[in-house]
Amino acid sequence: SPTGDSWGIFTFLCAALCNLPALPALNCSEELGAGQSIQQTYDLTRYLEHQLRTLAGTYLNYLGPPFNEPDFNPPRLARAERVPSATVDLDLWRGLTDNARLAANYRAYSRLLCYLRVLDGQVGTAELRHRLAHFCASLQGLVLSIGGVMSSLGYPLPAGPAAPPAPPGAPAAPNDFLKKMDDFWLLKELQTWLWRSAKDFNRLKKKVPPAVVTLRLEARGF
Amino acid sequence: TQLAHYRTLHNWFFPSLSVSPAADPAVISPQDPTLLIGSSLVATCTVSPDFPLKAEDLYWTLNGRRLPAASYTALGPSTLSVALARLNGSRQQSGDNLVCHSRDGGILAGSCLYVGLPPEKPVNITCWSKNMKDLTCKWAPGTEGETFLHTNYTLKYKRRWYGQDNTCQEYHTAGTYSCHIPKDLALFTPYEIWVEASNRLGVAVSDVVMLDILDVVTTDPPSDVHVSRVGDLEDQLSVRWSSPPALKDFLFQAKYQIQYRVEDSSEWKVGGHRRCRGTARGGRGSGCSHLVPLQVVDDVGNQTSCRLAGLRPGTVYFVQVRCNPFSIYGSKKAGIWSDWSNPTAASTPRSERVAGGCDPKGGEQNTTLRRELKQFFGWVKKHAYGCSNLGIKLYDQWRVWLQKSHKTRNQVGKEP
């Protein structure tokens, strides 16, 4: 399993450090949290990606054809830009610092969560509302998880909390059809972000443990 | 199919190639209309002056299917209309998607058509109160649900003669068409309750139901249901339970009902009231089908119990109990039966020595005489202590002996 290696490293480190007689009792799980948190966040994005497939299928069927057709690709109108885009230049993406990488994810999911919650309030069928509510709860978990990783690495959380109301400047969709298009793009962007996040967190996984952990312990004078 | 669709976005490294125009390319009229089933519609698509498209460059689709060109009419250089006749109910509650396209398939504008029927009066409103603390009501939509439009249901209630309407807030607690009122309910006063159904085409109000909370009280099922054997008796089980705790506070009595079934049967048999009156049929066509009255009544304070009789030996039985509050605050009416308690199981003993018993082992087992004898011995066991050796087994042994000595015919008549 993908978690196997990380657990191995984690337990080894824990055992090694806790056995050193000079050290006072360490709470291993707290001190060595960053690597594990990143793995958990990665796992969460995969889980959400899976959940989204079912949610999107149900939702697009609710919108009706052509929204649920496989090759559907409507124009992306200016108004839809308020949904943060995962699409980014490859070199730019590679060059992101850990902080910038995490912050982009944090900001994106906070905004997406907001828009999804608005959707939840408007949607017609009880089944959809139920699925959306469940998905929002999981997405909230992801936002918190990313925040946790940022904190454990010493990065400040991006300004602008997870719940700005619909930006006052941008109008709500002026008609029902345009609203359906907005909903379609919201789901599409969510899907893209989850794919991208898996790659973001994979990259972070390789860079963060255990080097950062060792450094932090040294800094504390042990 | 959605999966394949999303996979095409996997090359997310590259920016989206879609054009993002500043203004809407076209306008459709009417925008998002609501229509009655069977009505007709003429819709127009007018291309914005910024766009170099003409009426002949356009086409229409409805829910993804292209509409025939024969139904189009050019009303101007950049305006194309389409005529839709005898519309069916909307394919999805979010509205039918009527879309105006440019020749290459690109979407210029869309309009959601809501085609359906006004709601019918909701019917069959039934309510119940759990321990007089709350009220839950459910109802049925008038039509079998199919108005094709999203229909909102609102449950309202008010105290008779007291004016103010209240709206129920907690929906779907007992199914789709249900609502729960958790507090602020008065006893000893009639309530008027009704349901309003509304959708884009209209409103319908159910008939008003009048009730007093005390008329529709139900309670929790009995707790601590235990089923145990009655000594060595092979055809009896004793059932014990506790009255639901809520009963203590509310000055009402309770009557109970028991149902039981054999392990491999899906057919429940019901036994009596508080006093366990009633009858039970035991077994199935194997020499055990006889009527036996149920035993009775050990009313021990809070706990109540009952004995099931006429059961098959060596059989596993599942038992459930439920409860009905009655004589609430002195009223004569019964309340509503609670749910059945979770099934409890126990088995009747099977004595090794009983060879005949209820197993089908030959025709003579089914004779009326034998049946009656068995009943007699059963009765003897219960009412005449010290006769435990007497049983149907003895009769069977005598029959066997009789058959053997049948060979020596001249001896039969002399035997006792």
Side-chain angles (χ1 to χ4, degrees):
Chain A
S1 81
T3 55
D5 287 344
S6 310
W7 267 110
I9 296 170
F10 171 68
T11 24
F12 169 74
L13 273 174
C14 203
L17 289 167
C18 290
N19 279 331
L20 287 174
L23 289 170
L26 272 180
N27 185 338
C28 292
S29 56
E30 281 175 14
E31 290 300 325
L32 300 168
Q36 195 187 3
S37 299
I38 291 175
Q39 179 62 50
Q40 281 175 349
T41 312
Y42 171 84
D43 291 338
L44 202 42
T45 63
R46 301 310 306 272
Y47 170 68
L48 276 164
E49 196 189 337
H50 172 78
Q51 235 192 311
L52 181 60
R53 256 177 251 155
T54 317
L55 174 64
T58 312
Y59 197 78
L60 293 176
N61 282 335
Y62 169 73
L63 296 183
F67 292 93
N68 59 353
E69 282 164 6
D71 51 357
F72 185 59
N73 193 21
R76 194 158 178 182
L77 303 174
R79 180 180 38 261
E81 294 303 330
R82 64 190 170 142
V83 174
S85 177
T87 313
V88 71
D89 179 72
L90 178 55
D91 291 326
L92 208 68
W93 179 79
R94 281 211 191 107
L96 284 172
T97 61
D98 293 345
N99 190 2
R101 193 178 298 279
L102 284 164
N105 275 268
Y106 186 87
R107 266 189 237 107
Y109 288 118
S110 303
R111 296 273 297 283
L112 288 165
L113 182 58
C114 232
Y115 292 124
L116 269 181
R117 281 181 173 149
V118 172
L119 210 69
D120 191 8
Q122 299 162 342
V123 144
T125 70
E127 186 212 354
L128 260 178
R129 270 198 300 272
H130 180 76
R131 283 191 199 273
L132 261 172
H134 186 215
F135 189 85
C136 281
S138 304
L139 193 56
Q140 171 79 78
L142 179 60
V143 172
L144 289 171
S145 193
I146 299 173
V149 171
M150 292 185 82
S151 299
S152 71
L153 291 176
Y155 300 132
L157 290 182
N175 66 56
D176 293 352
F177 188 80
L178 286 174
K179 180 168 188 316
K180 284 192 180 185
M181 296 236 278
D182 283 353
D183 293 352
F184 174 86
W185 278 111
L186 176 60
L187 290 172
K188 215 176 200 196
E189 207 52 71
L190 199 42
Q191 179 75 64
T192 317
W193 261 109
L194 288 169
W195 273 338
R196 172 177 152 175
S197 290
K199 294 174 176 34
D200 279 323
F201 285 100
N202 242 337
R203 206 171 172 87
L204 282 166
K205 249 198 297 185
K206 293 169 190 156
K207 295 177 68 189
V208 173
V212 171
V213 169
T214 316
L215 270 168
R216 290 182 80 215
L217 285 173
E218 282 170 10
R220 283 171 180 247
F222 286 125
Chain B
T1 52
Q2 271 79 42
L3 193 51
H5 172 42
Y6 283 115
R7 285 224 169 99
T8 65
L9 281 187
H10 196 80
N11 50 344
W12 51 267
F13 288 111
F14 302 97
S16 163
L17 298 171
S18 303
V19 176
S20 298
D24 295 337
V27 168
I28 291 184
S29 175
Q31 182 70 56
D32 310 333
T34 304
L35 304 151
L36 213 50
I37 286 185
S39 47
S40 300
L41 176 70
V42 172
T44 61
C45 177
T46 305
V47 182
S48 160
D50 307 333
F51 284 76
L53 287 169
K54 297 199 280 288
E56 54 259 32
D57 299 325
L58 311 174
Y59 71 92
W60 293 91
T61 61
L62 180 62
N63 288 330
R65 280 149 132 229
R66 191 161 182 150
L67 294 169
S71 56
Y72 302 169
T73 311
L75 297 181
S78 52
T79 305
L80 183 69
S81 80
V82 67
L84 301 161
R86 290 181 302 279
L87 289 164
N88 288 326
S90 282
R91 187 189 180 283
Q92 55 271 342
Q93 283 194 353
S94 65
D96 292 323
N97 301 311
L98 179 66
V99 183
C100 176
H101 300 258
S102 59
R103 191 190 295 264
D104 61 358
I107 291 176
L108 302 173
S111 177
C112 294
L113 309 182
Y114 302 96
V115 188
L117 298 163
E120 283 189 14
K121 272 173 33 163
V123 293
N124 296 346
I125 301 178
T126 46
C127 302
W128 62 92
S129 170
K130 195 82 173 296
N131 301 322
M132 296 186 276
K133 290 192 166 135
D134 63 8
L135 191 67
T136 307
C137 293
K138 62 178 192 194
W139 61 90
T143 34
E144 280 305 295
E146 206 46 280
T147 55
F148 301 96
L149 302 171
H150 172 67
T151 306
N152 244 338
Y153 293 90
T154 310
L155 182 94
K156 292 198 174 161
Y157 59 102
K158 73 188 248 284
R159 287 161 70 179
R160 201 177 191 206
W161 308 308
Y162 273 93
Q164 201 193 2
D165 287 2
N166 300 292
T167 307
C168 178
Q169 306 291 338
E170 294 174 29
Y171 290 86
H172 318 300
T173 52
T176 316
Y177 304 109
S178 65
C179 197
H180 176 240
I181 305 166
K183 55 185 180 147
D184 298 334
L185 290 167
L187 303 177
F188 305 110
T189 179
Y191 272 90
E192 293 182 356
I193 300 176
W194 66 98
V195 180
E196 295 177 4
S198 79
N199 66 21
R200 286 169 187 264
L201 280 171
V203 179
V205 183
S206 71
D207 294 333
V208 173
V209 159
M210 200 126 60
L211 57 79
D212 190 314
I213 304 291
L214 293 179
D215 294 339
V216 292
V217 180
T218 186
T219 184
D220 307 296
S223 53
D224 300 326
V225 179
H226 293 296
V227 187
S228 49
R229 293 178 174 180
V230 183
D232 288 333
L233 297 178
E234 294 165 356
D235 65 337
Q236 294 187 26
L237 285 173
S238 163
V239 188
R240 279 193 156 69
W241 61 87
S242 304
S243 52
L247 242 57
K248 275 194 288 260
D249 309 326
F250 297 121
L251 302 174
F252 52 74
Q253 301 173 51
K255 51 181 176 170
Y256 301 95
Q257 228 178 28
I258 303 174
Q259 70 175 7
Y260 63 97
R261 66 174 172 84
V262 226
E263 187 172 16
D264 52 0
S265 149
S266 55
E267 184 198 323
W268 290 95
K269 299 194 216 305
V270 182
H273 307 284
R274 184 162 63 116
R275 295 190 165 268
C276 272
R277 258 194 298 279
T279 55
R281 259 174 216 286
R284 269 197 304 281
S286 54
C288 300
S289 44
H290 49 271
L291 280 171
V292 176
L294 288 180
Q295 292 301 326
V296 162
V297 194
D298 291 340
D299 221 325
V300 186
N302 282 346
Q303 207 169 27
T304 41
S305 64
C306 175
R307 234 187 249 190
L308 302 173
L311 307 178
R312 253 195 289 165
T315 314
V316 176
Y317 282 89
F318 290 104
V319 179
Q320 289 179 307
V321 189
R322 68 178 179 177
C323 165
N324 188 331
F326 72 100
S327 184
I328 301 160
Y329 288 126
S331 90
K332 297 274 188 278
K333 296 186 197 168
I336 298 175
W337 285 105
S338 72
D339 291 331
W340 289 103
S341 63
N342 283 329
T344 316
S347 64
T348 45
R350 181 198 283 282
S351 147
E352 297 301 318
R353 300 171 294 122
V354 178
C358 293
D359 298 330
K361 259 193 199 162
E364 54 184 22
Q365 303 278 345
N366 288 334
T367 61
T368 320
L369 171 62
R370 192 176 180 287
R371 247 183 277 143
E372 206 173 283
L373 267 173
K374 191 156 195 290
Q375 278 181 306
F376 168 69
F377 290 131
W379 181 89
V380 161
K381 250 190 224 169
K382 284 165 206 135
H383 293 91
Y385 297 96
C387 294
S388 49
N389 289 335
L390 212 55
I392 198 67
K393 187 206 153 211
L394 213 53
Y395 169 77
D396 288 335
Q397 285 178 338
W398 177 73
R399 289 298 311 264
V400 167
W401 178 89
L402 203 59
Q403 269 188 327
K404 281 187 192 160
S405 54
H406 207 78
K407 294 167 188 172
T408 60
R409 284 192 185 199
N410 51 346
Q411 298 213 7
V412 167
K414 287 187 196 163
E415 292 305 323

